[in-house]
Amino acid sequence: MNVEHWIGGERVPSAGRFEDRSPIDGSVLAHVARGGPEEAALAVRAATGAFPAWARTSREERARLLHAVADAIERRAGELAMLETTDNGALLRSHLRSVMPRVAHNFRFFADWLLELDHAAFDTRGHANHVSWDPAGVAVLITPWNAPLMLATWKIAPALAAGNTVVLKPAEWSPLTASLLGDITAEAGLPDGVFNVVQGHGTEVGPPLSGHPGVRRISFTGSVATARAIAAAAAPNLTPLSLELGGKSPLLVFADADLDLAADLAAEQYDNAGQVCLAAVRLLVEESVSAAFLERFLARAATLRQGDPRDAETDIGPQIHPRQFGKIDGFVRRAVAAGATPVLGGGPNPDLGGLYYQPTLLTGVKPGSEILTEEVFGPVLTLQTFAHEEEAVTMANSTDYGLAATVVTGSPSRARRVSGRLVAGTVWVNCFFVRDLRAPFGGARRSGVGREGGNWSFDFYCDVKNTVSAPWEK
Ligand code: NAD
């Protein structure tokens, strides 16, 4: 199968192509158009041309078209789910049950939110203030491979709802669903050029997109290193950036916690083979209950089945790519060489081979070592103990990241106290991964800049304008 760019409502090929392989068995899925400066410029031109008419389209009509996109996603949810699973190795079961419905919901939510967006109005000494949200222009969206369509549509839906036109650059390890989204938007009736997809390697097509002077917004989800490159490319134009980056989130288990719940929440961190930015990979457990917690956790983890992500019984699939697999193994090997003990897993799955890495838990990790401070982005958790609340908070806040944190406790007052002191964009108390699009989502410290969700998304994608009118003569 050949996959092309989607520019101006048409499939556009490139002279070069790259191979897209399935993490399930390494088979070649597609030969994908390999974009560069020329395709970046073409896509920005198409989006720029489509912008004035789309920006002038009434809110009601934009909302109707976004609902039509959601309808088309729902119609093709099975196809999208299988494509995504084959391409990035995440569970088909999750794609069918929760991910694709949420992808459609992303469009419905921002379509409805748009209709409710208030134009604030107030009076200053007889002068009328009128605050409006004007679309900014062309938005470049650059997204990762761990939840390709989910993360892309969090950005696409509010950007389009706000009246911007979009150029999406999906990750080169998972280009397929973005390509199908091109067809879906056309099927739903979106005008040509409103939504565009440029495929290619980040280092080749990323800089000409990020550095393009005609681009008014850049929203990026991915690693800190890439965020720095994008920020540098965007700096000459001062293009506003939204950055959703990595994490090294903690899960704090206090002695008063429901330990079964704590064990369940900890085992949930192996979801998507640990390739989740929010994953609470540092288990911090109060000393007095650490043995009891560990026993429950290991019993829970023993029930997880690793295997083909298309199989409904599978809980943990493969890692996305040999490079990511090698990176994870390197982290674990170095931690073990430095004295850590793998009490669970600790290497590739010998029964499955390929890109299947065993769910791993390390104890005895050295304070300050890389396994505690750097993002592994795989099924690797560490367990440390703390003596009291103060120490727990200090340990939780001891990395450069601040994406999320989970607190497991039976005490509401402790939950309030501790969550108030955690450096994190999201804190979950006795739960994990509950996400509402009305809520702000983003990270503190190096986990990101800005917030997505509700009005935070519209604030980013719009030029917010205040018009002040003197009283009219009677
Ligand atoms: P990555 O930074 O390597 O790549 C992300 C995207 O950036 C890809 O599309 C890639 O092609 C592109 N890119 C690479 N170099 C570029 C450049 N110089 N200019 C422009 N674009 C470029 O990240 P990844 O490996 O795909 O994803 C994993 C990372 O994403 C992890 O750090 C993870 O925590 C993070 N992530 C964060 C969130 C969040 O919401 N905070 C969600 C998911 C993933």
Side-chain angles (χ1 to χ4, degrees):
M1 171 166 83
N2 279 348
V3 167
E4 317 294 4
H5 312 288
W6 178 261
I7 299 175
E10 286 179 7
R11 295 181 191 291
V12 175
S14 276
R17 292 194 177 274
F18 66 94
E19 268 183 358
D20 174 37
R21 289 177 180 269
S22 174
I24 301 174
D25 55 10
S27 58
V28 176
L29 297 173
H31 299 276
V32 185
R34 183 167 171 171
E38 207 176 299
E39 290 81 359
L42 197 63
V44 174
R45 203 176 313 137
T48 305
F51 174 67
W54 182 245
R56 277 197 310 271
T57 303
S58 72
R59 288 177 173 209
E60 288 71 20
E61 176 62 2
R62 287 206 301 265
R64 188 190 68 75
L65 285 166
L66 294 186
H67 277 292
V69 173
D71 293 340
I73 287 169
E74 282 166 1
R75 272 197 304 277
R76 299 179 77 165
E79 188 187 348
L80 285 165
M82 183 54 98
L83 203 59
E84 195 88 298
T85 291
T86 326
D87 206 11
N88 88 333
L91 300 187
L92 180 61
R93 189 181 69 204
S94 310
H95 283 149
L96 287 170
R97 274 191 208 155
S98 56
V99 177
M100 293 313 156
R102 285 176 63 188
V103 165
H105 176 66
N106 288 342
F107 284 96
R108 296 201 190 286
F109 173 88
F110 284 107
D112 293 344
W113 195 268
L114 167 69
L115 297 179
E116 285 174 17
L117 198 62
D118 249 356
H119 285 243
F122 47 90
D123 189 87
T124 310
R125 296 190 303 278
H127 292 64
N129 291 260
H130 181 261
V131 180
S132 57
W133 278 263
D134 294 354
V138 176
V140 160
L141 314 177
I142 303 177
T143 50
W145 44 262
N146 63 319
L149 202 54
M150 182 71 213
L151 296 170
T153 53
W154 269 1
K155 300 181 189 301
I156 297 166
L160 293 180
N164 300 292
T165 52
V166 161
V167 178
L168 171 69
K169 207 307 270 174
E172 53 269 46
W173 289 351
S174 59
L176 299 187
T177 48
S179 172
L180 189 53
L181 193 60
D183 294 334
I184 286 175
T185 55
E187 193 179 309
L190 235 63
D192 293 347
V194 167
F195 175 68
N196 306 276
V197 182
V198 181
Q199 304 279 2
H201 290 292
T203 47
E204 295 172 358
V205 72
L209 282 174
S210 319
H212 197 299
V215 168
R216 301 293 176 213
R217 293 291 185 274
I218 300 171
S219 180
F220 170 71
T221 298
S223 64
V224 172
T226 303
R228 290 194 175 110
I230 291 174
N237 303 313
L238 296 176
T239 314
L241 295 172
S242 162
L243 304 172
E244 297 285 351
L245 310 179
K248 193 76 187 172
S249 301
L251 184 145
L252 294 86
V253 181
F254 288 94
D256 56 16
D258 172 344
L259 293 185
D260 290 318
L261 171 68
D264 281 352
L265 293 174
E268 218 178 306
Q269 310 308 319
Y270 293 131
D271 278 5
N272 209 9
Q275 302 168 137
V276 177
C277 55
L278 295 159
V281 289
R282 293 184 295 131
L283 310 182
L284 308 177
V285 185
E286 193 157 350
E287 238 155 49
S288 57
V289 294
S290 72
F293 165 80
L294 183 58
E295 189 186 328
R296 285 170 171 80
F297 172 79
L298 292 175
R300 178 72 188 81
T303 67
L304 297 174
R305 289 187 46 174
Q306 190 163 30
D308 189 319
R310 292 166 296 193
D311 181 344
E313 304 298 308
T314 296
D315 299 302
I316 303 176
Q319 308 309 133
I320 177 94
H321 192 273
R323 208 182 316 148
Q324 187 63 21
F325 188 86
K327 189 180 140 202
I328 295 164
D329 200 38
F331 270 113
V332 172
R333 281 171 189 276
R334 288 191 297 278
V336 171
T341 307
V343 289
L344 179 71
N349 187 319
D351 301 326
L352 296 173
L355 297 181
Y356 293 87
Y357 203 87
Q358 295 178 92
T360 293
L361 177 69
L362 300 173
T363 58
V365 285
K366 260 224 315 273
S369 61
E370 62 165 21
I371 197 74
L372 291 176
T373 54
E374 289 187 30
E375 187 181 46
V376 176
F377 220 54
V380 180
L381 310 182
T382 56
L383 189 150
Q384 297 168 277
T385 59
F386 60 83
H388 46 75
E389 195 176 297
E390 189 61 31
E391 191 181 17
V393 171
T394 304
M395 288 167 81
N397 289 341
S398 66
T399 75
D400 283 338
Y401 291 106
L403 192 53
T406 300
V407 180
V408 196
T409 174
S411 156
S413 57
R414 188 201 296 280
R416 272 194 301 276
R417 222 170 32 241
V418 171
S419 42
R421 296 182 60 197
L422 291 172
V423 180
T426 303
V427 179
W428 283 291
V429 177
N430 295 330
C431 61
F432 179 68
F433 221 89
V434 179
R435 168 97 171 94
D436 187 319
L437 286 177
R438 288 170 296 185
F441 178 86
R445 294 182 177 163
R446 304 233 168 105
S447 286
V449 175
R451 293 291 181 271
E452 295 189 305
N455 275 351
W456 289 274
S457 289
F458 282 101
D459 282 351
F460 174 70
Y461 287 113
C462 293
D463 287 325
V464 183
K465 180 164 76 192
N466 191 29
T467 306
V468 187
S469 293
W472 295 99
E473 295 295 334
K474 292 249 171 62

